[in-house]
Amino acid sequence: MPFVTVFGGKTFEVEEGKKLVLALEENGIEIYHQCGGKAKCTTCRVEVLAGEYKDISKVEKTAFALKNIDENLYDDCLRLSCQIRVISDITVRPILTSENTKGNRGPRPAE
């Protein structure tokens, strides 16, 4: 099974194919999310620091464009955790967490 490492935090093993947003949440990382995993709000974004997850999907590009977020801001490594399925080891830095936003999370993203 692949490992997820959170920059400055912990490393944990997750089931292959699990959505990154759920893997983070289920392992105590308070990733912020609002739209239920539909790639609409962009609040679950992460910086991918290591792993083969650099290619951004069209859905993510559209979401970033609608929110005026420069996906190149983090050296082409900005991704939506609701759109990543963990298939190999990955190291990420969550951009927004419940702690640094002081907001309430939205509905739990679907599997």
Side-chain angles (χ1 to χ4, degrees):
M1 287 199 291
F3 286 91
V4 174
T5 300
V6 177
F7 180 75
K10 61 182 180 178
T11 298
F12 46 89
E13 196 171 21
V14 300
E15 179 184 338
E16 187 173 335
K18 181 172 274 304
K19 283 186 177 181
L20 179 59
V21 67
L22 296 175
L24 292 168
E25 190 174 80
E26 290 169 3
N27 285 279
I29 308 302
E30 296 291 326
I31 185 78
Y32 192 63
H33 56 76
Q34 284 292 300
C35 71
K38 295 176 176 60
K40 301 289 184 201
C41 67
T42 70
T43 57
C44 71
R45 58 191 182 271
V46 295
E47 179 183 7
V48 176
L49 302 172
E52 297 300 317
Y53 293 89
K54 310 277 184 190
D55 295 333
I56 188 168
S57 70
K58 185 176 181 176
V59 170
E60 289 171 285
K61 281 184 178 280
T62 299
F64 288 143
L66 289 172
K67 297 287 185 171
N68 295 316
I69 296 171
D70 181 4
E71 78 236 23
N72 299 310
L73 187 62
Y74 295 94
D75 297 322
D76 295 326
C77 299
L78 191 63
R79 297 290 309 273
L80 297 178
S81 63
C82 70
Q83 298 301 300
I84 294 177
R85 296 254 177 209
V86 180
I87 55 171
S88 63
D89 295 352
I90 186 172
T91 301
V92 298
R93 182 178 69 85
I95 305 298
L96 300 174
T97 63
S98 295
E99 181 179 288
N100 70 18
T101 60
K102 304 294 185 214
N104 294 322
R105 286 186 281 189
R108 179 176 166 83
E111 296 289 328

